[in-house]
Amino acid sequence: MDETKAVATPARHDENFWNVVMTPVEPAWSEPGDDDTFVMDEKVLDAVRALAERISTRALAYRTAGEPFDAALMAAPDLQLATLRALYEAKRSVDRLAESAATAAGRSGASYAQLGAAWGGIKRQSARLKWPHAVVKRSAGESVPLRYAGGSAVIHHDPGVDAWWYTATAADRQEESEAVHGTSAEAIARATEFLLTHARPAPRESA
C-alpha cells in the first residue's frame, strides 16, 4: 500500500488544517537514498564554498585586485583551510537548526525516542542529553517556551475561554495572538509558522 495515500492533505484555508497538521504521520520520513545524500552533499558544498570564498585571505586579495577568482584556486592549501573553517560553521548551523527542529517537534508532542530515531537512530537517553529542553512535561495549563528559526515564543493557556495563545519575537517583529487556539499544539504550530516566516534573512552574497 502506498503510505502517502493515507495522509490527509487539507488546504491552508481548511478549518481542519491545523488539527491535521499537528497529528503526526507514521512513518514520519523515508530513509534517504544515495542520490538524496549526493544532492545534499552538493548543496552543502555550494554553501560552504561560498562562505570559504568570503572569508579566504587569498580570495579577498583577488577581489581587491579586481581579478576573477578561478575555481582552480580552490586547490590552494589556504583555500582548503578556509573551506575547513566554513565546514565548521556549517556544522554549527546544523546543530542550531537541529535544536530548533527537535524543540518544535518535542513541544508539539514528539517523544525523545522519536527525536532519537530521526537523528540517525540514537537512543532516547542520548536524545534527551542532546536536547534536554526539547520535551517538557507540563500541566494542562502551563506556559510552553519555544525557540525556533532564531526567534522565541511562549505559548499560554487562557482558562477563562479554555484556549491557547502565544507571544512571539522574531528577527524583524513581534506578535501576540488572540486566545483562539483549541490546543497547545495548534498554538505552537502557529507560533512556529510565524517565527519561520519572519526568520532572519540569509546574508546577501558579496559582489
Side-chain angles (χ1 to χ4, degrees):
M1 174 181 167
D2 186 348
E3 293 168 335
T4 62
K5 292 181 179 179
V7 178
T9 56
R12 178 66 175 79
H13 60 268
D14 191 296
E15 63 179 6
N16 294 319
F17 177 81
W18 286 111
N19 287 335
V20 173
V21 167
M22 298 311 293
T23 301
V25 171
E26 291 291 345
W29 72 89
S30 58
E31 288 298 324
D34 291 341
D35 288 345
D36 299 315
T37 55
F38 177 77
V39 171
M40 177 67 76
D41 285 350
E42 287 294 305
K43 290 184 178 297
V44 171
L45 184 57
D46 286 344
V48 165
R49 280 179 173 169
L51 177 56
E53 288 184 26
R54 288 201 299 273
I55 65 176
S56 163
T57 304
R58 186 187 297 268
L60 175 59
Y62 269 78
R63 290 195 297 272
T64 303
E67 295 292 337
F69 186 87
D70 193 293
L73 290 168
M74 291 302 298
D78 49 276
L79 255 300
Q80 288 302 306
L81 288 173
T83 299
L84 189 60
R85 186 64 179 82
L87 282 165
Y88 172 72
E89 290 302 322
K91 179 181 180 299
R92 294 181 66 192
S93 291
V94 168
D95 288 342
R96 288 192 296 268
L97 293 171
E99 183 175 7
S100 291
T103 300
R107 298 297 168 87
S108 298
S111 67
Y112 274 115
Q114 290 173 308
L115 297 183
W119 194 249
I122 64 174
K123 293 183 180 298
R124 181 189 64 218
Q125 298 90 329
S126 297
R128 187 188 299 275
L129 289 173
K130 187 171 185 63
W131 303 299
H133 306 296
V135 179
V136 177
K137 292 182 179 179
R138 61 182 188 276
S139 62
E142 185 178 348
S143 295
V144 182
L146 173 68
R147 295 189 64 83
Y148 190 72
S152 62
V154 180
I155 288 75
H156 310 274
H157 181 252
D158 186 338
V161 294
D162 192 22
W164 293 81
W165 58 287
Y166 67 84
T167 55
T169 301
D172 63 347
R173 65 190 300 183
Q174 295 180 323
E175 180 171 276
E176 180 176 318
S177 76
E178 300 292 333
V180 294
H181 307 300
T183 65
S184 60
E186 180 182 338
I188 288 171
R190 295 297 184 100
T192 300
E193 179 186 38
F194 170 78
L195 293 176
L196 185 60
T197 301
H198 297 280
R200 187 181 306 280
R204 292 185 297 179
E205 296 291 336
S206 56

